[in-house]
Amino acid sequence: MTPNYDLSEEHELVRRTVRDFAVERIAPVAEELDREHRFPYELVRELAELGLMGMTIPEEYGGAGADTLSYAIAVEELTRVDSSVAITVAAHHSLGTLPIYQYGSEEQKREWLPQLASGEKLAAFGLTEPDAGSDAGATRTRAELRDGEWVINGSKMFITNAGTDITACVTITALSGEDEVSNIIVPNGAPGYVIAEPMPKLGWRASDTRELSFRDVRVPEGNLLGPRGKGFQQFLEILDGGRISVAAMGVGLAQGAYDLAAAYAKERRQFGKPISAFQAVQFALADMATEIEAGRGMVYKAAWLKDQGRPFGKEAAMAKLYTGELSNRAANAALQIHGGYGFMDESPISRLYRDQKILEIGEGTNEVQRMVIAKHLGF
Ligand SMILES: Cc1cc2nc3c(=O)[nH]c(=O)nc-3n(C[C@H](O)[C@H](O)[C@H](O)COP(=O)(O)OP(=O)(O)OC[C@H]3O[C@@H](n4cnc5c(N)ncnc54)[C@H](O)[C@@H]3O)c2cc1C
């Protein structure tokens, strides 16, 4: 078969639509949202109207019924302009909503998905704990079944989207027995479920990151997601899918950094010419463009494999690792091209530079990706 490297008309339409939205609606407010650490409620409402909050959820549950490749393109285009908005969409979709679609009973899907997939409400996924990060299986949060209810005690750390005014629920991993991990949906507002203030952070400043604690939180037995004791396997699958989102963010951030650097290089003059006339600057831009092309191909391949129903875990981890590191190099080179102006808060590249680092940490650090890849290679 001859490979076809053209995207379909539908995929190109997604790209154009999201790019136009990002440029017209997000770009003008991104710096202000970041500076004020302000959650983008207004933009989330508009993204919901565009169908971007539940892209791959079938239409019968209120989603857009798109494929994973369309979703990856959308996340890439959002990140090209602003990472805080992109992670709000990606965490809601891949971590908050997809687990309910993938593992929920028909009743749970009918209860939760319409409000989540339409973007009216947000959802979160709470895996990380203060003492269980890369070693996510070391979960200490406990869920005990008592009189037809799960009684939950424990805490979660760094959870995206958990505490906004429009968050409906968080799905958490908890020990439901000795060496038995299960996933349980906890609605916001449940007595004993305490959501701390947003955590101030280096980047993704307009996104919502919280520490959560559970003190004798009672939820119905029916809030168990999927079979009891399958939580470990489920969260590994969720992370595989989530890595496509974060890898798409890596490509988008690198592309955004390239865009800013290329434009600045043409405009900034030193030694009587635009700095883009100097070969050192051209080479930096050529390296960025080359790596972005490679990274984009890796992300699209992982998304395509997932859409074909084929194994994609190795490719998703490789794409996440590669684009995390490439976005680091791209943000660094792009800021260098901006010189001292790039170091100033008012310069958009400084925001991209700060937003980049988490792409090498969230959804598994670079080291964890290498561990996952090595395992796929048989080591
Ligand atoms: C802004 C933000 C948003 C997040 N959103 C969410 C969310 O929505 N839901 C959620 O569940 N989590 C979320 N996280 C958590 C994130 O997934 C974790 O931070 C990440 O998995 C790393 O865990 P840790 O921070 O505990 O680091 P640690 O696991 O303590 O790692 C510290 C260092 O040790 C290294 N290391 C650890 N083990 C090994 C090993 N075996 N070999 C080699 N090196 C190793 C790591 O690579 C890293 O460099 C978020 C984090 C941030 C910062």
Side-chain angles (χ1 to χ4, degrees):
M1 193 187 92
T2 315
N4 179 3
Y5 292 105
D6 285 328
L7 291 178
S8 69
E9 189 43 47
E10 202 182 320
H11 292 127
E12 292 294 358
L13 180 64
V14 168
R15 186 187 297 288
R16 277 198 303 278
T17 307
V18 180
R19 182 176 299 175
D20 289 350
F21 178 81
V23 169
E24 285 163 22
R25 305 291 305 150
I26 304 176
V29 293
E31 192 270 333
E32 184 183 314
L33 291 168
D34 175 79
R35 182 167 21 91
E36 297 178 0
H37 297 224
R38 186 151 51 85
F39 187 78
Y41 287 105
E42 178 58 31
L43 291 173
V44 168
R45 195 161 60 235
E46 292 181 40
L47 288 159
E49 280 164 18
L50 272 181
L52 293 179
M53 299 306 288
M55 272 187 90
T56 72
I57 304 295
E59 289 173 26
E60 61 168 311
Y61 297 114
D67 59 11
T68 310
L69 181 52
S70 300
Y71 166 68
I73 291 168
V75 171
E76 175 190 336
E77 289 298 331
L78 291 174
T79 317
R80 191 171 176 174
V81 170
D82 184 54
S83 292
S84 288
V85 171
I87 188 57
T88 300
V89 173
H92 167 69
H93 174 274
S94 296
L95 299 179
T97 309
L98 267 187
I100 299 178
Y101 173 63
Q102 280 175 212
Y103 311 115
S105 63
E106 194 51 39
E107 200 183 334
Q108 286 170 330
K109 289 185 200 179
R110 298 273 165 217
E111 178 182 355
W112 294 103
L113 291 181
Q115 48 177 332
L116 299 180
S118 64
E120 185 196 327
K121 297 277 183 182
L122 294 180
F125 188 71
L127 171 65
T128 306
E129 297 188 1
D131 293 318
S134 299
D135 186 10
T139 294
R140 285 199 196 155
T141 297
R142 291 197 162 270
E144 216 183 301
L145 199 52
R146 273 190 235 153
D147 305 326
E149 288 180 318
W150 292 104
V151 182
I152 302 166
N153 282 286
S155 61
K156 295 287 170 183
M157 187 56 120
F158 305 140
I159 308 306
T160 305
N161 284 343
T164 76
D165 295 346
I166 53 169
T167 301
C169 61
V170 59
T171 299
I172 58 158
T173 50
L175 286 168
S176 50
E178 271 318 303
D179 288 333
E180 181 192 275
V181 178
S182 298
N183 285 327
I184 297 174
I185 305 171
V186 181
N188 280 39
Y193 172 24
V194 179
I195 302 171
E197 287 299 301
M199 303 176 84
K201 49 197 187 293
L202 176 71
W204 288 6
R205 287 186 165 170
S207 80
D208 183 81
T209 312
R210 311 269 186 151
E211 184 171 0
L212 316 177
S213 54
F214 306 88
R215 293 182 206 127
D216 286 328
V217 176
R218 290 171 176 271
V219 300
E221 185 176 357
N223 282 24
L224 176 74
L225 193 61
R228 182 171 174 166
K230 288 285 177 207
F232 192 79
Q233 190 187 323
Q234 288 171 355
F235 83 63
L236 290 179
E237 289 170 10
I238 292 163
L239 291 178
D240 279 345
R243 280 175 191 142
I244 296 178
S245 311
V246 181
M249 290 188 72
V251 174
L253 189 131
Q255 182 67 58
Y258 172 90
D259 295 344
L260 292 171
Y264 187 80
K266 286 181 199 155
E267 173 199 304
R268 174 69 173 168
R269 295 178 72 86
Q270 288 293 280
F271 300 96
K273 357 172 138 154
I275 59 169
S276 61
F278 304 124
Q279 197 177 47
V281 173
Q282 291 174 7
F283 279 13
L285 290 165
D287 284 348
M288 285 160 79
T290 305
E291 290 196 63
I292 291 167
E293 188 75 15
R296 183 175 286 126
M298 293 174 81
V299 176
Y300 291 3
K301 182 178 174 189
W304 177 81
L305 284 170
K306 183 166 191 270
D307 286 333
Q308 303 301 308
R310 287 165 54 180
F312 65 94
K314 181 181 76 175
E315 288 75 8
M318 286 177 164
K320 157 75 166 76
L321 171 63
Y322 185 77
T323 58
E325 294 188 345
L326 106 79
S327 62
N328 183 308
R329 290 189 289 272
N332 190 40
L335 196 148
Q336 190 70 17
I337 288 172
H338 282 75
Y341 293 96
F343 196 65
M344 298 297 117
D345 279 350
E346 66 188 36
S347 171
I349 191 62
S350 72
R351 174 169 47 84
L352 270 71
Y353 186 85
R354 286 187 288 101
D355 283 341
Q356 184 282 322
K357 189 60 207 172
I358 183 63
L359 299 177
E360 300 182 84
I361 296 170
E363 300 257 351
T365 62
N366 289 349
E367 293 73 26
V368 166
Q369 303 311 314
R370 288 189 164 88
M371 284 158 62
V372 171
I373 294 163
K375 200 163 179 207
H376 278 289
L377 296 176
F379 296 103

